[in-house]
Amino acid sequence: MTTPALLPLSGRRIPTLSPGAASFPHHRATLRLSEKFILLLILSAFITLCFGAFFFLPDNSKHKRFDLGLEDVLIPHIEAPKGAKHPGGQVVIHGQGDHDEHRHREEEESLRDKIRADHERALQEAKEKLSKSRDELRAEIQTEKSKVLEDLKKEGPKPLPPVPMPKVVGVNDGDPGEPDIKEKRDKIREMMKHAWDSYRQYGWGHNELKPLAKKGHSTNIFGNSQMGATIVDALDSLYMMGLHDEFKDGQEWIEQNLDFSVNAEVSVFEVNIRFIGGLLAAYYLSGQEVFKVKAVQLAEKLLPAFNTPTGIPWAMVNLKSGVGRNWGWASAGSSILAEFGTLHMEFVHLTYLTGNPAYYQKVMHIRKLLAKMDRPNGLYPNYLNPRTGRWGQHHTSVGGLGDSFYEYLLKAWLMSDKTDTEARKTYDDAIEAIERHLIRKSNGGLTFIGEWKNGHLERKMGHLTCFAGGMFALGADGSPDDKAGHYLQLGAEIAHTCHESYDRTVLKLGPEAFKFDSGLEAVAVRQNEKYYILRPEVIETYWYMWRFTHDPKYRQWGWEAAQAIDKYCRVSGGFSGVKDVYSSNPTYDDVQQSFFLAETLKYLYLLFSSDDLMPLESWVFNTEAHPLPVLHLANLTLPGSQGQR
């Protein structure tokens, strides 16, 4: 038998004992379920008595009980006499006063009889319950619980309003033409199949896979739940690669098993970009309604995270209780820029698909709040306190903690069919400040993006920061002051630097972070920065640079990375990260990250495909590489928006 839910009594929650305990304890805090049930019945009978007593009082002609105009609520089945005002008013048909008063008394008497009968019935039911054994009461409670659950299942999710499907183009094929490039693309598909099949065999339903231990794996970003993160994250990659049987397996699991009513504390950011982004992309690619429905169900579970004094969401939320909090390590209880700033794309699509303005309003509120705040040197610090609305420590980064905030400003503009000019202006201003304060050239001529910490530039760049090369290239067209060529060049320089971070290792795979001082350039110094966990950011930049320049070196660099991953990260049970890219005998971390299937392999596949697969005029990729279609909103106003977008 499942343990019944805790029942509230006098504003407190009374815990239940285990079903096997032998006797009733006397202490209030350890009341058994049957006792609570009886107490509630007696309480309800008492309330019924009190309510009934109100009507048993002697009639007083000076104090009419129905002069408040509430009779339609209390006794809706009684109609006012024809030609009369509401009870308590004057009767206007002459000669009917006595008749109406008599009828009124009869109705009151009838109501008293009904309440008296209900009262008697409630007392009788309470007596019957008291005469039943503990096991009988438990069985009744379980039956009632099961009935409620069945009724809820029958109700099902609310139907979503019909909205026009955005025009989707280039969702499959993308044959590159050249046989050698096609061969490389086929190899990437084979790597995807190995990663998926291994997960399917050893970790199915778990969030991720431990490919050496050959069992499921999960991290604290998903709480203690088994929500199949790898399945949701991989769906659109499978679809693009033409692995439709695998896609169908994933869809079936989602239809039958993906449940968000779990008692799990999850990262709002990670669940948004992986789950909501992944489900929306799968919906737009395949047209299967289940993905849209699941995305909306999950989004509703994330909304309580925004219940803060400022509207800046908590980093984590419990999917069942809706209680939110921030990471303990984040500057004095702050929320993180890259987390609360990486919701816009998905939430705008949620409003588009549901007609519910809440999603759009919440992300626009964040943007408006940030616009009002002072920014040191024009830079956005990585930490913001959701209670006070003040910045935390002044640390600015285009890598971890900050990265995708800037990406989503640019992509909000692109996704709006370039009509969200506010987002574009905010992006341009932010990039100008980043160029002025964070971007430098090393002694060896490598362009890098450092990190600003309390007025000092740290000459260190993270693997995560390497996505920025692709971002600069993507944002080149439309940049102010005819600087398109400048930003395309800047993207190329970042791509070159990040390639060097790969090339200067033994495994030809990039470290987590690398320095540019003390004569060392583009190499990791600390042991805890020498690992590679199957990250996609460098390959992501190669792909964007390929799309905008068609310089063959980007395909060459991508192929070098693919070969290194296949050689050093592939194991019999999937793919694993490695702990030291400078060691010829690396040890594995034994984790196949879900983003390896969502991003790394997808970007490699796109790199060796033709440009008509997922054309950038029609699709914008979220920060987890999930493609969402451009919304042509010229003739459409999103609910809650000011005027036309």
Side-chain angles (χ1 to χ4, degrees), residues 257-270:
N257 301 286
L258 187 54
D259 177 20
F260 302 120
S261 59
V262 289
N263 184 18
E265 189 180 52
V266 301
S267 162
V268 174
F269 161 74
E270 295 287 0

Side-chain angles (χ1 to χ4, degrees), residues 64 129 156 159 185 277 300 320 394 406 413 419 434 464 581:
K64 292 182 180 176
K129 295 290 180 192
R185 190 172 82 143
E300 287 173 358
K320 196 176 189 77
H394 286 187
Y406 307 101
W413 175 68
T419 59
I434 285 165
L464 289 165
V581 291

Side-chain angles (χ1 to χ4, degrees), residues 531-607:
Y531 61 86
Y532 172 71
I533 57 170
L534 307 172
R535 286 205 188 276
E537 290 77 20
V538 174
I539 294 162
E540 175 183 355
T541 278
Y542 293 165
W543 174 60
Y544 279 112
M545 292 308 303
W546 164 255
R547 278 284 172 104
F548 290 112
T549 69
H550 286 154
D551 186 329
K553 74 182 177 189
Y554 296 115
R555 277 183 165 170
Q556 179 55 39
W557 291 353
W559 184 239
E560 289 170 9
Q563 287 178 301
I565 291 168
D566 200 50
K567 183 174 181 180
Y568 295 111
C569 300
R570 186 179 186 129
V571 295
S572 65
F575 289 86
S576 168
V578 291
K579 293 181 179 177
D580 188 347
V581 291
Y582 299 96
S583 167
S584 55
N585 249 343
T587 52
Y588 297 108
D589 67 11
D590 196 19
V591 180
Q592 179 175 285
Q593 306 276 352
S594 82
F595 58 67
F596 178 62
L597 293 84
E599 300 184 76
T600 312
L601 292 174
K602 182 185 291 148
Y603 284 130
L604 281 168
Y605 188 81
L606 288 166
L607 182 60

Side-chain angles (χ1 to χ4, degrees), residues 141-152 154:
I141 292 165
Q142 190 57 40
T143 302
E144 284 300 315
K145 270 185 71 178
S146 301
K147 186 175 180 299
V148 169
L149 286 172
E150 280 303 312
D151 290 344
L152 285 172
K154 283 176 191 171

Side-chain angles (χ1 to χ4, degrees), residues 170-186:
V171 298
N172 48 40
D173 194 23
D175 188 332
E178 308 98 306
D180 61 322
I181 301 299
K182 192 172 186 304
E183 189 179 324
K184 287 169 178 161
R185 190 172 82 143
D186 289 344

